[in-house]
Amino acid sequence: MDGVLLSFSHLRFDRRAWVDDGQFDLDDLERVSGNEDDYAPRFEVRLDGEGRLLSSRSRYGDYAVAWRPPAARAALQLQAFAADRIAGSLRIDDPAGKAMIDFDLPLMARGPSSRPGASLPEDGGEPGRWLMARSAAVWGGDLDGLLRLMAPAERASATGTVRFDPSDYIEYVPGDIETSGSSFFMLKQRMSTPRIDRILGGSWDGDVAWIDFAGSDGAIAHEAVTGTAVLHRDRRGHWSMVRIDTREPSAQVHADRSNTIDRSAKKKESGGGTGREGIPGSVCFGRNVLVNGRPVEPGCSKSGRDLQGGD
């Protein structure tokens, strides 16, 4: 075992979003629910392959923070340390916060992760065809075609709607097209929608679909990218975009039948990201965590290299 990274947060990790790109990596620790201030505060510790505490740090979002020797900032006691499980207690005495955390967690290795649901056909099926049509409308300047593809709520936001309160008033709320102008509206659409050339794969689970694609990005100059679009279908069958993540393509990028992407290139998500140095081998997360004697969610998180060693 090369090493372990434990990451603790008082926020709930958004584990469903971890499968968006078919990879489980350290960037996913920044995906949490209820993160209104974009801080996602975490306390992280690194262990060596024998379970000894090496260093610790307090971190917010994706801001780079140096690892420091634990000294009096943290104390770790382990009751179990195996290839698939870690348990013990951690005392944190840090300016950012103090706590006593008891945990019993499974270990996970960084790498490909399977998405739920069924694999999509080569053309992406219904959600893939919708995504291709939307990208074509945006980059072809087809405003009417784009509006036809929008779900009712998004279309009302674009074109305007009447807000009605039966006890008080009827009010017209202008849409983005009226307030920004159609040209600027389409420019904003291009800034948030890549030009999609082909579908690489994906999966469909209930009302959510993950579409892996290749194309280009940039409102003015185009840069080759691959990426994943997360789509949602409402009860009337209307598709809408939840989010799109893009990244620089590797020399050979593909999505295999297990719904994963070979992604060795640097991730370039819509929210940005920073390079990380000194990342240890494996990482863990789980639910069975006690903080100051009380159960909390989530607990601990994630991984570096394969648990058996090597990349």
Side-chain angles (χ1 to χ4, degrees):
M1 185 179 296
D2 291 339
V4 172
L5 168 66
L6 304 180
S7 183
F8 299 90
S9 173
H10 72 276
L11 299 174
R12 184 188 300 271
F13 289 114
D14 189 358
R15 295 184 177 92
R16 187 176 181 87
W18 288 358
V19 303
D20 281 1
D21 59 2
Q23 292 281 336
F24 182 75
D25 57 30
L26 294 176
D27 287 330
D28 290 324
L29 287 176
E30 298 160 17
R31 296 175 178 264
V32 294
S33 302
N35 185 23
E36 297 179 358
D37 296 324
D38 195 31
Y39 277 163
R42 305 188 302 279
F43 188 82
E44 298 179 336
V45 297
R46 294 195 300 182
L47 315 180
D48 65 13
E50 302 299 320
R52 292 184 289 265
L53 182 60
L54 297 177
S55 56
S56 65
R57 66 180 179 181
S58 297
R59 195 168 187 212
Y60 295 86
D62 63 353
Y63 294 102
V65 178
W67 291 95
R68 297 181 180 179
R73 291 160 50 93
L76 179 72
Q77 289 186 334
L78 293 182
Q79 282 79 52
F81 187 52
D84 60 351
R85 174 175 172 258
I86 187 169
S89 61
L90 175 69
R91 178 182 58 79
I92 301 174
D93 188 7
D94 187 82
K98 302 177 187 240
M100 175 64 75
I101 301 174
D102 300 315
F103 56 89
D104 188 348
L105 307 163
L107 284 171
M108 295 184 64
R110 186 178 67 176
S113 61
S114 297
R115 299 181 183 130
S119 298
L120 292 171
E122 290 185 2
D123 67 350
E126 180 186 326
R129 291 190 293 271
W130 179 89
L131 180 64
M132 290 287 288
R134 177 163 181 138
S135 175
V138 168
W139 288 96
D142 184 2
L143 176 58
D144 292 336
L146 176 61
L147 293 175
R148 285 193 296 270
L149 290 167
M150 289 181 174
E154 185 182 11
R155 187 164 54 247
S157 176
T159 61
T161 186
V162 174
R163 186 167 56 190
F164 174 64
D165 185 332
S167 63
D168 190 10
Y169 60 83
I170 297 177
E171 179 186 17
Y172 172 71
V173 181
D176 195 10
I177 296 175
E178 183 175 343
T179 56
S180 301
S182 59
S183 296
F184 188 51
F185 173 80
M186 293 300 288
L187 176 61
K188 289 191 289 185
Q189 292 292 315
R190 289 188 177 191
M191 293 174 68
S192 61
T193 306
R195 186 195 297 269
I196 298 174
D197 297 329
R198 66 186 187 279
I199 302 297
L200 301 177
S203 63
W204 186 353
D205 182 41
D207 59 0
V208 178
W210 294 266
I211 314 294
D212 303 316
F213 62 85
S216 58
D217 199 2
I220 301 175
H222 292 286
E223 177 185 33
V225 295
T226 59
T228 301
V230 184
L231 311 182
H232 177 265
R233 187 179 64 169
D234 66 20
R235 60 187 179 86
R236 295 187 177 182
H238 300 112
W239 288 98
S240 60
M241 197 90 68
V242 178
R243 57 184 168 269
I244 289 186
D245 293 340
T246 59
R247 48 200 171 269
E248 298 172 3
S250 58
Q252 183 177 358
V253 180
H254 67 279
D256 63 22
R257 292 297 181 183
S258 64
N259 301 324
T260 61
I261 292 180
D262 176 11
R263 192 196 61 165
S264 59
K266 175 185 174 183
K267 192 176 197 176
K268 201 187 86 170
E269 296 186 48
S270 56
T274 60
R276 294 168 176 80
E277 298 179 356
I279 295 175
S282 52
V283 176
C284 75
F285 81 95
R287 303 176 184 172
N288 305 323
V289 179
L290 298 176
V291 176
N292 295 332
R294 297 192 300 272
V296 297
E297 289 189 59
C300 154
S301 305
K302 224 157 209 165
S303 152
R305 304 187 194 98
D306 186 86
L307 290 175
Q308 276 65 47
D311 289 327

